[in-house]
Amino acid sequence: MAGIAAGALLVAGCGGAQSALDPHGTGARDIARIWWFMLALSSVIFVIVLALLAVALWHGHRERSAGGPGPHEGLAFVVIGGGLVPLLVLAVLVVVMATGLRGLSASTADPALRIEVVAHDWWWEIRYPDRGAITANIMHLPAGQDVEIVGTSDDVIHSLWAPPLGGKIDLIPGRTNTVVWHVDSPGTVRGQCAEFCGVQHARMAFEVVAQPPAEFNAWLAEQAQGAAEPSDDLARRGRDVFFSSSCVSCHAIRGTAADRNEGPDLTHLAARPSLAALTIPNDRSHLATWITAPQTVKPGGNMPPTSLSSDDLAALLAYLGGLK
Ligand code: CUA
């Protein structure tokens, strides 16, 4: 009964948007295949070892009552069972892993697109250098194509990991690491920073949205454009609030004078589904909290609180809400 319950729990952990055993792409499939192979192999070995242990206990019991074993008895078994067999098993694993993981290395692919990821405490900057588009915490890419992900860090070591797509890559200040993702079909998966990087490490998540190539190209063309002009007086006033508050000293809005890179690029902020690296949804009330009291959402984060009159805040929200 307990075994069935444990088994059900185990299998329940294999699904979901952030599971390495629910591969959505070639790299993750290679990793999952190796994982299942290792599980099967180690299960077989585990059963054999338990069976040998049972035999030894039974056999030893009988031999003790018959006067004990001879001096060289069992030496051949130790050499074979303790030396040759483990060597063989490890050799098989080396070959399986070396061939299975070959597809993960960047040099074997001819990527259709290059995306740069810069990790920050505690969010992800996602850049499309060919088109000048920059976003944060959500990566769109074309399904069915090889995409080269080139990652680095702006501060400490982070690790980019979207388990359904492939292995982790460390993002290290001053150097770049590369991985190739190939997502089979359109869909969304979740990724997470996989290297402890400070108090908000756990709230450093991102989404990867794979789209049909035409849809992706339309998205990218939109993201490459500068910010929308404010559509009414309230939003225009909100833009003035933005430029007279501390917002402008950390954020960029392409097409305006705001060009700082300390925080996420806000050019198309309203098109993103979440804020603060997937910590809260991107709607008017959460955005208001994020602007005025970010430390209640993400204590220790670099976003400082901005105190604004309620009129100024309403105007700023109108402006930011128009940045589609
Ligand atoms: Cu970034 Cu952990």
Side-chain angles (χ1 to χ4, degrees):
M1 199 59 204
I4 294 172
L9 270 177
L10 210 67
V11 173
C14 298
Q18 198 176 294
S19 170
L21 298 181
D22 182 17
H24 285 54
T26 43
R29 205 158 29 245
D30 291 342
I31 292 172
R33 202 180 290 127
I34 290 170
W35 191 91
W36 285 112
F37 176 77
M38 288 174 74
L39 179 72
L41 187 64
S42 54
S43 300
V44 168
I45 292 170
F46 181 68
V47 169
I48 291 174
V49 168
L50 280 191
L52 287 174
L53 182 66
V55 168
L57 285 173
W58 173 244
H59 197 63
H61 176 72
R62 284 197 358 195
E63 282 201 335
R64 262 197 307 280
S65 43
H72 298 297
E73 198 173 325
L75 182 65
F77 179 77
V78 169
V79 170
I80 294 171
L84 289 181
V85 171
L87 209 64
L88 187 72
V89 169
L90 290 177
V92 168
L93 283 179
V94 166
V95 171
V96 166
M97 290 215 258
T99 52
L101 295 180
R102 213 170 30 192
L104 294 182
S105 83
S107 56
T108 57
D110 180 22
L113 175 74
R114 175 191 163 103
I115 300 175
E116 294 173 355
V117 176
V118 185
H120 300 258
D121 274 344
W122 287 278
W123 59 281
W124 308 89
E125 180 182 346
I126 319 276
R127 311 175 69 99
Y128 298 79
D130 298 341
R131 301 295 299 274
I134 305 170
T135 182
N137 307 319
I138 183 162
M139 177 193 292
H140 288 242
L141 47 75
Q145 297 181 3
D146 284 346
V147 179
E148 184 182 44
I149 314 290
V150 181
T152 188
S153 168
D154 182 48
D155 35 52
V156 299
I157 299 176
H158 303 264
S159 181
L160 181 80
W161 192 31
L165 304 187
K168 301 166 189 169
I169 53 167
D170 277 352
L171 305 187
I172 300 168
R175 60 166 294 173
T176 57
N177 282 326
T178 302
V179 69
V180 173
W181 283 346
H182 181 110
V183 189
D184 303 324
S185 52
T188 301
V189 304
R190 189 179 190 277
Q192 164 73 41
C193 181
E195 177 77 38
F196 181 72
C197 53
V199 288
Q200 292 298 342
H201 159 70
R203 293 199 187 96
M204 188 167 170
F206 60 96
E207 268 183 324
V208 180
V209 181
Q211 295 173 292
E215 202 179 288
F216 166 77
N217 287 331
W219 174 86
L220 185 57
E222 238 173 75
Q223 293 286 316
Q225 286 173 14
E229 281 295 308
S231 58
D232 57 24
D233 284 346
L234 186 65
R236 266 187 288 277
R237 186 178 151 200
R239 181 172 58 184
D240 296 340
V241 172
F242 181 91
F243 280 94
S244 59
S245 73
S246 56
C247 309
V248 69
S249 30
C250 290
H251 293 282
I253 297 180
R254 281 172 280 132
T256 76
D259 61 354
R260 303 294 301 186
N261 189 35
E262 275 73 21
D265 183 297
L266 303 180
T267 310
H268 298 284
L269 172 69
R272 305 206 280 259
S274 66
L275 297 169
L278 271 60
T279 306
I280 47 176
N282 184 11
D283 55 34
R284 196 174 181 279
S285 72
H286 284 96
L287 182 56
T289 307
W290 184 232
I291 292 168
T292 54
Q295 298 296 318
T296 64
V297 176
K298 216 166 174 177
N302 290 328
M303 173 90 166
T306 304
S307 55
L308 296 168
S309 72
S310 60
D311 285 355
D312 282 353
L313 179 62
L316 181 58
L317 290 170
Y319 174 54
L320 295 175
L323 299 179
K324 294 261 165 57

